[in-house]
């Protein structure tokens, strides 16, 4: 069984790496061979495709390297005062072109915004969930572009970031699987197959921060991931 899971993982990773690389190579080859014959709009489109897939490739490689670090217990949190809102902005700045392909609504809630946690790891966890939400969410009133809602705040000894997409949601019997690095949802279970390593890494991060991540489906549609951060100032 372990060998089978290992083969599944290698197959999944190989696909995730080769697909964006093929698009990057193809776009640059067309640009090289036909640059003078291509209209400006087509050039921009090819450059945009190559850049988007380069960010995607960087995302996959970073996740693979991070997964190795977490499994080797090589990551240690550094707790300090920070703000939930700033962690969200930091996570958005690292999403690249993905964050421009939809609509985002952010709402501050709770009693305050300041918390004592690791801001680097905290924002990394948020970014991983946002990446998943932008991939699987759809616009609020229909259409193809994602629509993502974020609520955040700190109440008592705990901070939270609640991220909802407007996609099809995740079947209840499949929800635990999205955090398993060896499992990928099929297209019958979700609009876009697979969640890769991102949510697995997110769960590792939240455990390091003495927090947790929870998944539910919203009554009106879409998946809701909630990150709970322990305020270490209150420890």
């Amino acid at each position: 069984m372990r060998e089978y899971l290992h083969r599944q993982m290698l197959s999944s990773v190989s696909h995730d790496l080769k697909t964006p690389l093929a698009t990057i190579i193809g776009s640059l080859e067309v640009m090289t061979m036909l640059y003078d014959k291509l209209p400006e709009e087509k050039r921009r489109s090819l450059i945009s495709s190559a850049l988007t897939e380069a960010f995607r490739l960087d995302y996959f490689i970073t996740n693979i390297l991070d997964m190795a670090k977490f499994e080797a217990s090589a990551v240690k949190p550094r707790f300090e005062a920070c703000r939930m809102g700033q962690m969200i902005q930091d996570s958005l700045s690292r999403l690249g072109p993905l964050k421009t392909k939809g609509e985002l609504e952010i709402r501050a809630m709770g009693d305050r915004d300041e918390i004592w946690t690791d801001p680097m790891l905290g924002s990394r966890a948020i970014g991983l969930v946002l990446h998943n939400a932008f991939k699987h969410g759809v616009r609020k009133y229909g259409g193809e572009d994602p629509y993502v809602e974020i609520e955040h705040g700190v109440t008592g000894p705990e901070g939270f970031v609640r991220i909802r997409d407007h996609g099809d949601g995740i079947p209840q019997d499949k929800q635990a699987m999205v955090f398993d690095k060896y499992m990928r949802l099929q297209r019958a279970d979700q609009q876009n197959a697979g969640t890769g390593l991102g949510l697995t890494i997110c769960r590792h991060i939240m455990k390091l921060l003495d927090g947790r991540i929870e998944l539910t489906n919203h009554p009106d549609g879409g998946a809701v991931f909630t990150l709970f951060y322990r305020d270490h100032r209150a420890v």
Side-chain angles (χ1 to χ4, degrees), residues 2 5-6 8-9 71 180-184 197 200:
R2 187 177 183 84
L5 291 174
H6 184 64
Q8 289 288 95
M9 181 62 179
E71 291 188 331
D180 190 334
K181 71 176 182 178
Y182 292 116
M183 298 297 296
R184 297 175 68 88
L197 295 173
T200 307

Side-chain angles (χ1 to χ4, degrees), residues 108-128:
M109 305 176 69
D111 300 329
R112 62 188 189 279
D113 192 50
E114 187 176 280
I115 191 171
W116 196 278
T117 188
D118 185 316
M120 294 292 291
L121 289 175
S123 64
R124 174 84 168 111
I126 295 168
L128 291 166

